[in-house]
Amino acid sequence: MKIESFAMEGVYRIGWSANPDPRGAFGRLFCAETFAEAGLVSQWAQTNLSRSTRRGTLRGMHYQTAPFAETKLLVCLAGRIHDVLVDLRPQSATYGQWCALELDGASSSGVYIPEGIAHGFQTLSDDVMLHYSHSRPYSPAHQAGVAFDDPDLAIQWPLPPVAVSERDLTLPRLCEIAPNLSPSRTKQEVLS
Ligand SMILES: Cc1cn([C@H]2C[C@H](O)[C@@H](COP(=O)(O)OP(=O)(O)O[C@H]3O[C@H](C)C(=O)[C@H](O)[C@H]3O)O2)c(=O)[nH]c1=O
């Protein structure tokens, strides 16, 4: 299992160190001790599976508000996704900016997403399966989000979005949830 910092403070790529053998492979994806030693959340409240059937499916940008703000460990088990993070932490050097990475099931690659980051993805293949670990329970009353097509963010999505939920089509713009954020800080992809 590899833990590598990525683009924004507190975000890490998580790599699955597979041990191949004639049957296939086996490897560790999470270890509470290793995560704790690295200063990462090492206890999860809930885990979820997310299945998307069509290439181009876009979900996001989602987060939970306090006191249910959550850290997520996301692992791609099947298919490929373009994963996007938006930094909503006012004290962060990358506040109001976004970064992106590709995750795929072939390598079971993952990303560790700290509290204060809005998360979304677009599938790059049919039949995507994702595994989520959440540090806090799901709380519908604390579900929040930012528009995936916010013009101030100008997130670059690789494909025309399909199968976007009604909720995601009506999420607020960043300027509505962070009025003090000057547009000059946004429109920049944080280069990894
Ligand atoms: C998030 C969640 C949802 N649900 C129920 C609520 C709905 O009936 C159904 C689908 O929920 P939603 O449309 O919010 O699912 P996504 O659009 O895939 O949202 C998720 O994907 C984005 C990209 C994320 O990062 C979040 O983890 C999460 O918001 O599952 C639950 O029962 N538990 C949960 O933890």
Side-chain angles (χ1 to χ4, degrees):
M1 174 183 62
K2 287 179 289 194
I3 302 176
E4 300 166 322
S5 59
F6 176 77
M8 292 175 175
E9 183 185 349
V11 174
Y12 296 89
R13 283 179 184 274
I14 306 297
W16 177 57
S17 309
N19 298 294
D21 65 32
R23 299 164 299 170
F26 183 93
R28 184 166 302 160
L29 199 52
F30 167 74
C31 170
E33 186 179 353
T34 304
F35 270 52
E37 283 169 358
L40 276 57
V41 164
S42 58
Q43 287 192 333
W44 306 108
Q46 291 177 342
T47 63
N48 287 309
L49 285 179
S50 165
R51 180 185 296 128
S52 301
T53 50
R54 289 174 59 192
R55 179 173 179 266
T57 299
L58 195 155
R59 301 175 188 242
M61 309 301 292
H62 302 161
Y63 63 100
Q64 286 197 154
T65 55
F68 286 86
E70 57 183 338
T71 295
K72 296 171 193 168
L73 174 59
L74 170 70
V75 179
C76 183
L77 299 178
R80 281 190 312 124
I81 65 168
H82 180 78
D83 204 62
V84 178
L85 309 177
V86 175
D87 196 342
L88 300 178
R89 301 169 296 185
Q91 291 74 28
S92 168
T94 52
Y95 179 40
Q97 297 177 16
W98 61 274
C99 68
L101 66 164
E102 191 169 307
L103 302 177
D104 71 82
S107 61
S108 294
S109 45
V111 60
Y112 175 95
I113 307 168
E115 293 181 14
I117 301 278
H119 172 249
F121 67 88
Q122 183 171 38
T123 60
L124 301 175
S125 70
D126 290 338
D127 303 325
V128 163
M129 178 72 89
L130 303 180
H131 180 277
Y132 287 89
S133 301
H134 302 257
S135 65
R136 287 206 173 86
Y138 173 60
S139 172
H142 296 85
Q143 286 287 304
V146 177
F148 70 90
D149 55 356
D150 182 321
D152 292 331
L153 280 172
I155 296 170
Q156 292 157 29
W157 297 101
L159 300 167
V162 302
V164 182
S165 68
E166 272 310 307
R167 171 195 171 209
D168 288 354
L169 290 170
T170 55
L171 288 172
R173 289 179 52 176
L174 194 53
C175 60
E176 297 174 77
I177 64 167
N180 61 337
L181 184 60
S182 65
S184 62
R185 286 185 65 97
T186 63
K187 281 195 193 300
Q188 294 172 41
E189 177 186 357
V190 178
L191 300 180
S192 59

